[in-house]
Each structure stands twice: as C-alpha cells, then as structure tokens.
Amino acid sequence: MDDTPAIEAALPAQVLPAAPAAVNGSDERRDYRPGYEIVAERILEYIAEERLAAGDRLPTEIDLAQMLSTSRAVVREAVKILSALGRVRAHKGRGLFVADDEGMLVTSRWGGFFRPVDIDHVLMLFEFRRVQEMSASSLAATRATPSELRTIEVAMEQCRHGFVHGQVDVFNQADEDFHAAVSAASHNTFLVSAVRDARRLQRQSSAIGIHDTLGENAGAAVEEHEAIYRAIRDGKPDEAAEATAAHLDRTLEDYRREIQRRLFG
C-alpha cells in the first residue's frame, strides 16, 4: 500500500452518523462514517483498555453489540475487518479471541494499544517509521549490492507506472516492494523487521477510516521514491536519509489531514 493511502473498501454500506448534521444556509451537510468502522475502532479500544493479550477471549458478537449499542450485523462486519488485519480471530463454536499473529507489532507491548485513527497514535507510528527508515536508507547507500539496487529501481518504476495508469493495486504493491527493498539493502535484519511491522500497523489506518485515490499525493510519493533511490544508488547516505525523512514527513501530513477531515469534517 502507498504511504499515501489508496484502498477502496468493498463492505456493506451500513452507517452510523459520525457527527450531527450541520446546516449552512440552505445547504445541508451530513458527515457519516460506516458503522463497522466505528465499531472496529471501539473493539480495538476495548482490547487496549482491558489490557487483553494474544489468545484472550473477547465478548460474543451479541455481547459486543449490546456493549456498543449497535446491531450484531454491524459487529460482524467490524470483526471481519479486524480479522483481516490480524487483530482478532473468530473460531467457530468457540468465540472471538485476540489474535496472535507471529511477527506483527500488534502482539508486542507497543503495538497492542495502537488505534488506527487516533492522530496521536499515527504520529507516534510515523516517528517510529522515520527513525527506522532513515537508518535503513542510509545504510543501504553504503551496502546495497547491484542486484538490490535493481530491485529498488524496479519497484520505483512500477510505482510510477501504477500512478500514471491509475492502477491502484499495482501502485500499492510496488510501494510495499520499494520500502521492503530499501530495508533489505541495509543488510540489518532488525531494521527489516521493524520497517515491515510498522508498515503493517500503518495499513490498519488505511483499512479503517482512511480511503483515498491515486491523486497528487501519490504523484509526490513517486518523485520522493526516486530521490531516495538516486541517493542510495549514488552512495550518499546523508542524502538518502534526508530524502526518506522528507517522504515520511509529507506522508504524515497527508494522514493528519485525512484523519482530521474524517473525525471533524
């Protein structure tokens, strides 16, 4: 997925109002958020507040519906989202459980509390990503092999192709491949793991509450990727780190604006 989120949800259109309708003269403005998004966030909050760990049992769908003052159907759709994200597991005949996805930050002490549309949490996640990916790109500039440079270049060009042709899936996969290739070129296993896991958490922000298309932000990401690649290719670690920081700082602002728009209109 692009750092500038670009996924489209294909889920039922059951909705709950995010905020009361606002009237401006004769124009009526209503801001709605899908009910399953809101409920998914509330389930994550429940897990954090109750300090539930991987393997702990969650209330049933019926109980969650009563707790959250919604319908079982909406809870079911929220559970589908959280299952796809690796946050919960539904075992037939046994109930719902907090998931234990090996290798994901969600099972660690720092990821267990992550709330995908909480601006403070997103800010902290990007601060974490900034540190890890600046280091990864800096090291890649001094350690990348010709084969690794080619992998980064191919991913960069695929991002451009996806953007130019409006192919969201191509763009998203290439973006994922680009960041993975840069971290791999650092030749530091811990950085590879940290970058991968932080991006997994970020995808939750894109899956819950943040939807976009391939617009100018994606175009900016393409150019930023090229700047990172050229610095790594030319063996300039400081420039690689600076280009990475600029890329993530711009991406964070995109997320900040989108979250604020969704939450406050």
Side-chain angles (χ1 to χ4, degrees):
M1 155 159 307
D2 172 26
D3 287 315
T4 305
I7 67 170
E8 297 176 357
L11 293 168
Q14 295 164 308
V15 296
L16 293 175
V23 179
N24 183 8
S26 59
D27 295 328
E28 220 176 58
R29 177 183 176 185
R30 294 183 176 87
D31 292 319
Y32 289 97
R33 296 184 59 207
Y36 53 80
E37 287 184 1
I38 298 172
V39 171
E41 293 163 18
R42 290 177 180 170
I43 292 174
L44 291 177
E45 290 174 357
Y46 174 82
I47 291 172
E49 290 166 358
E50 296 297 317
R51 299 182 180 276
L52 299 181
D56 287 347
R57 184 188 295 272
L58 289 164
T60 65
E61 289 183 355
I62 293 176
D63 290 339
L64 285 171
Q66 292 176 345
M67 288 168 52
L68 302 176
S69 301
T70 188
S71 70
R72 185 177 181 183
V74 173
V75 169
R76 186 175 297 116
E77 295 305 323
V79 168
K80 287 181 182 178
I81 291 178
L82 297 177
S83 295
L85 294 173
R87 300 302 295 264
V88 304
R89 286 285 178 266
H91 295 286
K92 190 173 182 179
R94 295 177 55 203
L96 301 175
F97 297 83
V98 178
D100 182 11
D101 273 5
E102 184 178 357
M104 291 187 68
L105 281 176
V106 293
T107 61
S108 70
R109 73 174 65 180
W110 52 23
F113 66 86
F114 182 66
R115 298 176 187 174
V117 295
D118 185 316
I119 185 62
D120 291 330
H121 285 212
V122 174
L123 175 60
M124 286 188 285
L125 179 61
F126 269 91
E127 287 177 343
F128 180 76
R129 280 196 61 194
R130 195 178 194 272
V131 171
Q132 307 308 320
E133 297 200 37
M134 285 180 68
S135 295
S137 61
S138 177
L139 290 173
T142 63
R143 298 177 177 178
T145 66
S147 176
E148 289 166 340
L149 283 173
R150 179 57 181 160
T151 300
I152 296 170
E153 182 182 23
V154 168
M156 175 193 72
E157 293 299 339
Q158 278 295 97
C159 267
R160 187 181 299 279
H161 176 86
F163 170 67
V164 170
H165 296 281
Q167 298 173 328
V168 176
D169 291 341
V170 171
F171 183 91
N172 286 342
Q173 184 58 57
D175 177 77
E176 195 69 29
D177 293 343
F178 178 85
H179 287 271
V182 171
S183 65
S186 74
H187 295 197
N188 185 304
T189 300
F190 294 97
L191 282 175
V192 171
S193 178
V195 170
R196 180 191 64 234
D197 289 346
R199 287 179 62 80
R200 282 175 173 171
L201 284 181
Q202 183 185 312
R203 285 200 294 274
Q204 296 181 18
S205 293
S206 299
I208 300 179
I210 302 178
H211 309 294
D212 205 350
T213 57
L214 290 179
E216 62 181 51
N217 294 333
V222 168
E223 300 306 319
E224 290 157 1
H225 283 175
E226 182 168 357
I228 295 168
Y229 162 71
R230 289 184 181 278
I232 293 173
R233 181 200 62 188
D234 296 342
K236 298 179 178 179
D238 291 342
E239 290 186 16
E242 290 170 6
T244 299
H247 176 47
L248 292 177
D249 288 346
R250 194 270 311 160
T251 302
L252 173 58
E253 287 307 307
D254 293 341
Y255 268 75
R256 189 198 304 274
R257 285 193 297 269
E258 182 62 12
I259 290 174
Q260 289 175 336
R261 183 187 69 80
R262 291 298 297 266
L263 294 182
F264 306 114

